[in-house]
């Protein structure tokens, strides 16, 4: 457990002896724990919270969502059934494709997504509050480079 109340997994290693892989694994654990705690505070499961955040960017097709979540369409259907029951999202036909459905946030879902996303952003910002500006910028630039490499298909992602 970290001093902020989020779970750390893996062997305890002195910070100056932490290799990049172990550090990323521990940081992932902290972020996942944070995400779970905050989703619960918003009366969401972590998967529901992820769905709402993904849909903040606009409607998505069911097939696209299933692929991005790494699940079969049937599993996504169950998630969507629960989201619709709670009034957070809705499915509608895709114009021009009778078999396809797209998923859209409802107004209540948009409010929930924005509130959750805002709280996650604040909590993540606190993780970096103790970094001096140069280290913060170096970390940001390094993350941006890794993400860019993965998105372009040039990295190991």
């Amino acid at each position: 457990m970290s001093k902020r109340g989020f779970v750390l997994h893996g062997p305890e290693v002195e910070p100056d002896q932490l290799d990049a892989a172990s550090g990323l694994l521990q940081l992932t654990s902290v972020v996942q724990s944070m995400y779970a705690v905050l989703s619960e505070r918003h009366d969401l499961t972590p998967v529901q919270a992820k769905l709402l955040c993904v849909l903040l960017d606009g409607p998505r097709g069911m097939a696209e969502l299933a692929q991005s979540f790494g699940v079969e369409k049937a599993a996504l259907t169950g998630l969507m059934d629960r989201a619709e029951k709670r009034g957070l999202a809705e499915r509608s036909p895709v114009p021009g494709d009778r078999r396809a459905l797209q998923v859209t946030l409802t107004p209540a879902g948009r409010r929930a997504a924005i509130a959750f996303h805002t709280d996650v952003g604040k909590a993540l910002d606190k993780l970096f509050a103790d970094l001096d500006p140069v280290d913060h910028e170096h970390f940001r630039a390094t993350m941006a480079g890794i993400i860019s490499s993965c998105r372009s298909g040039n990295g190991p992602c």
Side-chain angles (χ1 to χ4, degrees):
M1 182 84 65
S2 75
K3 68 179 183 178
R4 297 184 198 274
F6 299 115
V7 178
L8 284 171
H9 296 287
E12 192 168 321
V13 178
E14 291 299 317
D16 62 340
Q17 296 177 355
L18 192 65
D19 62 82
S22 295
L24 283 172
L25 288 171
Q26 287 190 27
L27 187 56
T28 298
S29 176
V30 169
V31 172
Q32 287 175 338
S33 174
M34 177 187 300
Y35 203 84
V37 167
L38 292 174
S39 63
E40 187 175 314
R41 285 184 194 160
H42 285 267
D43 193 30
L44 300 166
T45 66
V47 176
Q48 287 172 335
K50 180 179 177 181
L51 175 67
L52 298 183
C53 289
V54 167
L55 293 173
L56 268 175
D57 289 334
R60 295 282 190 271
M62 288 285 287
E64 178 187 356
L65 286 172
Q67 183 180 8
S68 75
F69 278 68
V71 299
E72 296 294 322
K73 288 183 193 177
L76 186 66
T77 297
L79 173 62
M80 277 306 304
D81 288 346
R82 293 183 293 280
E84 281 184 318
K85 186 179 260 187
R86 293 191 56 196
L88 300 172
E90 58 191 6
R91 289 172 276 202
S92 60
V94 173
D97 188 346
R98 300 180 320 188
R99 298 180 302 154
L101 294 173
Q102 69 179 3
V103 179
T104 309
L105 287 174
T106 62
R110 181 164 294 286
R111 287 189 300 274
I114 290 169
F116 175 75
H117 195 272
T118 298
D119 284 354
V120 168
K122 288 177 184 176
L124 290 171
D125 284 344
K126 287 180 185 177
L127 286 178
F128 306 106
D130 295 338
L131 291 180
D132 68 56
V134 171
D135 287 341
H136 187 274
E137 175 54 25
H138 187 253
F139 185 78
R140 187 210 60 76
T142 301
M143 282 189 310
I146 293 168
I147 292 166
S148 177
S149 180
C150 288
R151 284 189 177 151
S152 70
N154 294 327
C157 311

